[in-house]
């Protein structure tokens, strides 16, 4: 079933809005309200630029098969496996973190109703969620099939938004007593903004599902695809500004990394915890989908180059004439691959095996550890920036307008190409800054 603009926006928005939304008010702490909003606006523009570039370069791959792998094959084939590895590790790590959040939140929710030890065990809740909610959704082959789950999850974000705004407008005495100093400009005696930079930068990361969303659209014209990116990032900016701004104004410099933990126990906060648990468990399949595709591409890459190496050994024993004919055929094959990059097929047994491996590995890791913050921050600093900024920027710079002679490229194509170069350079800066913040300062996203 083909998708439309609304479902595409919902899927990208759901991909971007994960558990990190709870830390959005904390992101304002070292920046203050004004500069916090400005930082969010700038990050949303950068993320939107990446999505718009992806919408434009998708047309350079035929048959609705645009992907990071296929487009990297057009630029530098051997780099495709590096970026697919980054995507797979990043998405897998984020998916595991979602299950850890489920293990943290659901026992708190059940503690309001029961004291039974079995029902308060985090591993029990992770097991039940993985078996009966996450696994069935992960075996759906198209993101279109998850649009109802995305709508339900976004309702959870809407509830959290209302919860934060209501507590800001009508704070209880207990919340009022917890309030710290609010700064509209740069606050004094706060750590460097690098401590919360990853929160803002990665809040808009949904680019790993963008090509899948674009491929499944009923109308794949560039104009329609760019609408999806613009609407998704605009709505995300409004949600983040509302939750981040209202949460920061409520608690000031006493705001914590998880906004919902600051509210007094009540029915509304319990429902809020349920909403967040629902959000992350329904977001897991949106991480599994690109991770599965990237793993399939990596396997395809390894198999293809293994065959090439075997052919090279065989060719070494061939006669000169045979060798020349083989080389000629190889050159023709390479030329054909440049025009039509190879497609890694993902269906049947291969689809099921990779999905099962992701689910089992995620489950075992989620029940074994309680915190992946530092690892996820490092992976996010490299993987997210590659997906959101560097790769879309490189694609845009090399591909947009490449069908024209260099001196005859339209002005719009030139501007888009240079915008891609700037975005890629910005991505490198963000990667370095985020790694510094993570490794030296201890920030996390």
């Amino acid at each position: 079933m083909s998708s439309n603009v609304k479902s595409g926006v919902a899927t990208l928005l759901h991909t971007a809005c994960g558990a990190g939304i709870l830390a959005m008010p904390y992101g304002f702490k070292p920046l203050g309200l004004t500069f916090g909003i400005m930082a969010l606006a700038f990050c949303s523009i950068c993320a939107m630029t990446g999505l718009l570039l992806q919408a434009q370069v998708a047309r350079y791959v035929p048959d609705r098969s645009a992907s990071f792998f296929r487009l990297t094959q057009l630029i530098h084939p051997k780099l495709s496996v590096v970026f697919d590895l980054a995507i797979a590790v990043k998405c897998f790590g984020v998916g595991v973190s979602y299950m850890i959040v489920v293990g943290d939140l659901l026992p708190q929710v059940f503690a309001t109703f029961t004291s039974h030890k079995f029902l308060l065990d985090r591993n029990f809740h992770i097991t039940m969620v993985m078996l009966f909610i996450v696994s069935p959704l992960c075996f759906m082959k198209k993101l279109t099939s998850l649009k109802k789950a995305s709508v339900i999850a976004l309702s959870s974000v809407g509830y959290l938004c209302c919860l934060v705004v209501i507590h800001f407008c009508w704070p209880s005495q207990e919340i009022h007593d917890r309030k710290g100093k609010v700064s509209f400009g740069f606050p004094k005696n706060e750590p460097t903004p690098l401590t919360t930079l990853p929160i803002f930068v990665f809040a808009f990361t949904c680019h790993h599902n963008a090509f899948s969303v674009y491929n499944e659209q009923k109308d794949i014209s560039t104009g329609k695809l760019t609408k999806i990116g613009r609407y998704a990032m605009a709505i995300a900016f409004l949600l983040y500004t509302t939750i981040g701004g209202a949460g920061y104004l409520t608690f000031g410099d006493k705001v914590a990394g998880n906004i919902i933990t600051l509210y007094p126990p009540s029915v509304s906060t319990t429902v809020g915890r349920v909403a967040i648990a629902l959000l992350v468990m329904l977001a897991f399949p949106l991480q599994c989908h690109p991770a599965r595709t990237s793993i399939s591409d990596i396997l395809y890459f390894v198999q293809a180059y293994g065959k090439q190496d075997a052919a090279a050994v065989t060719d070494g024993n061939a006669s000169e004439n045979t060798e020349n004919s083989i080389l000629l055929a190889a050159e023709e094959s390479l030329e054909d691959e440049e025009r039509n990059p190879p497609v890694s097929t993902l269906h049947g047994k291969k689809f099921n095996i990779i999905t099962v491996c992701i689910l089992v590995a995620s489950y075992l890791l989620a029940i074994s550890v309680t915190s992946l913050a530092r690892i996820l921050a490092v992976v996010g600093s490299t993987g997210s920036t590659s997906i959101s900024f560097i790769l879309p920027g490189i694609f845009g710079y090399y591909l947009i307008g490449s069908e024209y002679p260099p001196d005859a490229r339209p002005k719009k194509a030139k501007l888009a190409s240079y915008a891609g170069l700037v975005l890629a350079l910005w991505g490198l800066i963000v990667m370095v800054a985020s790694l510094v913040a993570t490794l030296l300062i201890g920030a996390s996203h």
Side-chain angles (χ1 to χ4, degrees):
M1 183 173 63
S2 298
S3 180
N4 55 30
V5 172
K6 288 183 180 179
S7 62
V9 170
T11 299
L12 290 186
L13 196 58
H14 182 196
T15 306
C17 295
I21 199 170
L22 296 172
M24 200 55 60
Y26 181 74
F28 282 72
K29 186 178 178 181
L31 290 165
L33 184 66
T34 303
F35 292 105
I37 294 174
M38 290 174 63
L40 267 179
F42 179 72
C43 291
S44 69
I45 291 172
C46 291
M48 186 186 299
T49 302
L51 290 173
L52 298 183
L53 289 172
Q54 286 182 256
Q56 291 193 54
V57 301
R59 62 189 173 89
Y60 290 92
V61 180
D63 304 324
R64 297 174 182 265
S65 58
S67 67
F68 286 102
F69 177 80
R70 294 204 74 192
L71 286 162
T72 309
Q73 289 285 319
L74 295 174
I75 305 300
H76 197 303
K78 290 187 178 180
L79 282 180
S80 59
V81 69
V82 176
F83 289 111
D84 269 308
L85 183 62
I87 293 170
V89 173
K90 184 265 179 187
C91 294
F92 174 77
V94 173
V96 172
S97 74
Y98 287 167
M99 289 301 99
I100 291 175
V101 171
V102 168
D104 292 341
L105 288 180
L106 289 186
Q108 295 177 3
V109 172
F110 275 75
T112 61
F113 306 107
T114 181
S115 59
H116 196 289
K117 184 179 179 181
F118 185 71
L119 294 176
L120 299 181
D121 181 48
R122 66 183 298 274
N123 291 348
F124 166 76
H125 291 286
I126 293 174
T127 303
M128 292 298 101
V129 168
M130 288 289 288
L131 278 177
F132 298 108
I133 298 178
V134 169
S135 294
L137 293 175
C138 285
F139 278 96
M140 293 182 176
K141 295 185 178 182
K142 290 189 175 182
L143 291 179
T144 309
S145 306
L146 298 171
K147 62 183 180 181
K148 292 183 179 179
S150 294
V151 171
I152 294 172
L154 291 176
S155 300
S156 302
V157 177
Y159 178 83
L160 177 64
C161 187
C162 293
L163 181 70
V164 174
V165 171
I166 289 172
H167 280 298
F168 163 65
C169 295
W170 297 282
S172 64
Q173 186 60 43
E174 188 174 352
I175 291 177
H176 183 76
D177 293 339
R178 293 182 180 183
K179 185 174 182 178
K181 182 181 178 182
V182 174
S183 299
F184 289 89
F186 273 118
K188 296 180 180 179
N189 302 321
E190 287 290 345
T192 171
L194 282 178
T195 56
T196 59
L197 174 66
I199 295 174
F200 286 171
V201 170
F202 305 131
F204 298 95
T205 300
C206 57
H207 303 65
H208 45 292
N209 278 328
F211 284 130
S212 295
V213 168
Y214 295 161
N215 293 337
E216 294 174 15
Q217 287 294 300
K218 183 178 181 180
D219 183 352
I220 57 172
S221 62
T222 303
K224 284 288 186 181
L225 299 185
T226 55
K227 280 185 179 180
I228 297 173
R230 290 201 305 268
Y231 293 164
M233 294 300 96
I235 296 171
F237 170 71
L238 290 175
L239 284 172
Y240 294 154
T241 302
T242 303
I243 293 174
Y248 176 69
L249 289 172
T250 302
F251 296 103
D253 60 2
K254 292 184 179 180
V255 68
N258 185 341
I259 185 67
I260 205 167
T261 61
L262 297 176
Y263 297 122
S266 65
V267 174
S268 63
T269 54
T270 299
V271 174
R273 289 190 177 95
V274 173
I276 296 303
L278 191 63
L279 171 66
V280 295
M281 69 177 69
L282 294 178
F284 186 98
L286 296 177
Q287 301 297 328
C288 179
H289 185 90
R292 178 174 53 218
T293 302
S294 292
I295 292 171
S296 174
D297 290 339
I298 292 169
L299 294 174
Y300 177 88
F301 180 91
V302 172
Q303 291 171 355
Y305 274 84
K307 290 178 181 178
Q308 287 185 9
D309 291 340
V313 172
T314 304
D315 292 347
N317 299 323
S319 64
E320 186 175 347
N321 291 335
T322 306
E323 187 172 323
N324 289 336
S325 63
I326 290 175
L327 289 174
L328 182 61
E331 288 177 1
E332 292 175 351
S333 176
L334 287 173
E335 289 176 0
D336 183 62
E337 283 192 5
E338 288 178 358
R339 291 190 297 268
N340 298 292
V343 181
S344 167
T345 57
L346 181 58
H347 54 76
K349 186 182 293 186
K350 185 179 180 182
F351 178 94
N352 293 331
I353 291 175
I354 295 176
T355 304
V356 169
C357 289
I358 291 173
L359 290 171
V360 172
S362 300
Y363 171 73
L364 293 177
L365 197 55
I367 63 173
S368 301
V369 299
T370 57
S371 177
L372 288 175
R374 181 62 63 88
I375 295 174
L376 287 177
V378 172
V379 171
S381 299
T382 53
S384 292
T385 49
S386 298
I387 298 165
S388 304
F389 305 137
I390 298 176
L391 267 180
I394 292 174
F395 293 155
Y397 179 68
Y398 280 103
L399 295 178
I400 296 177
S402 60
E403 66 271 30
Y404 299 98
D407 297 333
R409 282 198 304 170
K411 188 176 181 180
K412 286 186 177 180
K414 286 183 178 180
L415 289 175
S417 177
Y418 290 131
L421 178 61
V422 172
L423 184 66
L425 293 174
W426 165 244
L428 289 173
I429 295 172
V430 170
M431 180 183 292
V432 173
S434 299
L435 282 173
V436 169
T438 300
L439 298 176
L440 300 182
I441 306 174
S444 182
H445 73 283

